[in-house]
Amino acid sequence: MIVPIIFLILCLIGFVFSGLQPSFILNEIIFRLSRNLLLVMSLIIPVLSGMGLNFGIVLGAMAGQVGLIFIINHQIGGITGIIVATLVSTPFAIIFGYFTAKVLNKAKGKEMITSMILGFFANGLYQLVFIMLAGRLIPIKNEKMLMSTGVGLKNTIDLGIIRKSLDGLFFGKYTSIPVMSFVVIIVISFLMYRFLKTKQGQELRAIGQNRHVAGVAGIPVDKTRTLAIIISTVLAAWGQIIYLQNMGTLNTFTNHEQVGLFSVAALLVGGATVDKASWKEAVIGTILFHLLFIISPMAGQNLMGDAQIGEYFRVFVAYGIIGVSLLLHAYEQNKIDNRNRLKVNQ
């Protein structure tokens, strides 16, 4: 738990210098937890299956945005719009997850860097589709979404017709807390928990512990790993929809880019590792990581006279925590390998 402890100390120091009220921070944490937690939790199953940190959830975020673009194009608002966006995005997420898994199964042992590169590659295709083909080959009924040339989507699309439709469902008249978003996340978390108790879930864990032994025992390794990535990609698509309906704005070509980086960083901040993660680390990490996001601009403003210093610091921390975690993983793995070699020699 050294990483969460260090992060908590950083947050406490930042809080002292930020001058922010605890009530404001608590309110912000609640909203950020509701809109980011499912994205972070989408990383857990690939970790348990021994595939490391799935930076490829970027593809799931793209699938979620495809669903949102569809409903804005057809002007389907409210909770109906959220449901339709989810239904549209899910097949795309399954397809993206399937092909991602096919590639990762060919790159065993190098899944993390491979999934990161796949995210960059998919981003290029995503931009090609919505910059060059939208309005030309892909019909767009809502002309407000298009650039002045009539081809390509605008950089920013208003999601006002679905803004907080899930957050405020049923309980919006009584509280500003996004109750239904938390309910959805809890239900999905429970289903994940039940899945991991099934035969397939146990096979997934067995592969994560020792892929070779699992294969010898008759477990279909590649098929099970494919299932893990598909689940991760679908959860990321749903998580991106929850995130963006809360924000109320879709930055068409940038919203998905940092999803993998920040979700991975949040999970690691919670005490997870490359080969061990659970919902507890996801919750703790999301709270601590976004707590630093809340207080760092004001702390930078009060300390250095420039809020942008805080922005630079939190990006540095996001990359730094990933680098340190991977270094620690490599160190631990090297110790295990040396120990195994010593046993063989003896």
Side-chain angles (χ1 to χ4, degrees):
M1 296 296 288
I2 186 65
V3 174
I5 292 171
I6 292 174
F7 227 78
L8 180 60
I9 293 171
L10 286 174
C11 290
L12 291 174
I13 294 171
F15 169 71
V16 171
F17 288 103
S18 70
L20 295 173
Q21 294 296 319
S23 58
F24 170 80
I25 294 176
L26 178 61
N27 188 61
E28 283 292 304
I29 283 293
I30 289 172
F31 277 100
R32 287 172 181 262
L33 190 63
S34 71
R35 68 189 184 211
N36 289 283
L37 183 56
L38 188 55
L39 285 167
V40 178
M41 293 187 69
S42 70
L43 296 166
I44 293 175
I45 287 182
V47 170
L48 294 179
S49 63
M51 302 180 76
L53 301 163
N54 179 25
F55 288 90
I57 61 169
V58 171
L59 281 81
M62 292 178 193
Q65 290 173 191
V66 169
L68 293 174
I69 290 170
F70 178 86
I71 64 168
I72 297 302
N73 184 35
H74 293 277
Q75 289 294 287
I76 307 172
I79 191 62
T80 303
I82 299 292
I83 295 171
V84 172
T86 303
L87 293 175
V88 170
S89 68
T90 300
F92 282 98
I94 292 172
I95 294 169
F96 295 166
Y98 175 80
F99 284 107
T100 298
K102 284 294 184 183
V103 175
L104 297 185
N105 281 335
K106 300 292 185 181
K108 291 184 176 73
K110 301 179 179 64
E111 290 93 347
M112 285 185 288
I113 186 63
T114 304
S115 64
M116 183 181 291
I117 298 302
L118 275 175
F120 294 142
F121 172 73
N123 187 41
L125 293 179
Y126 174 91
Q127 295 191 20
L128 173 66
V129 169
F130 290 112
I131 292 178
M132 301 300 296
L133 304 182
R136 180 175 289 159
L137 295 180
I138 301 173
I140 302 294
K141 296 181 179 179
N142 185 356
E143 295 183 357
K144 294 180 180 179
M145 299 171 61
L146 294 172
M147 291 188 284
S148 58
T149 59
V151 176
L153 297 183
K154 290 181 177 178
N155 289 330
T156 303
I157 295 176
D158 182 20
L159 300 180
I161 61 174
I162 61 162
R163 186 170 187 268
K164 297 191 176 181
S165 296
L166 178 61
D167 291 348
L169 186 65
F170 299 134
F171 301 96
K173 296 180 180 179
Y174 311 105
T175 179
S176 61
I177 296 174
V179 176
M180 282 308 298
S181 293
F182 280 118
V183 169
V184 169
I185 293 169
I186 290 170
V187 169
I188 292 173
S189 301
F190 176 75
L191 293 176
M192 286 175 59
Y193 171 78
R194 295 301 305 169
F195 167 75
L196 291 172
K197 295 294 183 181
T198 64
K199 179 177 181 292
Q200 280 189 319
Q202 294 302 314
E203 288 177 348
L204 187 147
R205 287 180 180 274
I207 293 171
Q209 292 171 0
N210 193 309
R211 188 172 65 236
H212 176 71
V213 172
V216 172
I219 296 174
V221 174
D222 286 359
K223 183 179 178 180
T224 305
R225 283 162 54 96
T226 298
L227 178 63
I229 291 297
I230 289 175
I231 292 173
S232 177
T233 309
V234 170
L235 292 180
W238 296 351
Q240 187 75 343
I241 292 173
I242 292 176
Y243 172 79
L244 291 173
Q245 65 85 35
N246 178 271
M247 298 296 290
T249 303
L250 168 61
N251 294 318
T252 313
F253 304 109
T254 58
N255 260 143
H256 56 278
E257 289 184 346
Q258 300 297 324
V259 165
L261 171 67
F262 289 152
S263 298
V264 166
L267 187 65
L268 294 174
V269 164
T273 64
V274 172
D275 50 15
K276 178 186 175 185
S278 71
W279 66 269
K280 294 178 183 177
E281 284 90 4
V283 172
I284 294 171
T286 303
I287 291 173
L288 289 177
F289 189 68
H290 287 280
L291 176 59
L292 189 66
F293 266 47
I294 295 165
I295 63 179
S296 59
M298 287 306 301
Q301 177 67 39
N302 294 334
L303 281 171
M304 305 292 182
D306 186 358
Q308 194 64 35
I309 296 295
E311 298 287 334
Y312 296 147
F313 177 72
R314 69 188 187 182
V315 172
F316 162 76
V317 168
Y319 283 102
I321 199 69
I322 294 173
V324 169
S325 296
L326 294 179
L327 183 64
L328 290 174
H329 172 70
Y331 174 72
E332 291 294 330
Q333 189 63 46
N334 187 53
K335 285 203 307 183
I336 293 172
D337 292 342
N338 289 336
R339 193 179 304 125
N340 291 335
R341 279 194 294 267
L342 182 61
K343 288 180 180 179
V344 170
N345 292 333
Q346 289 177 344

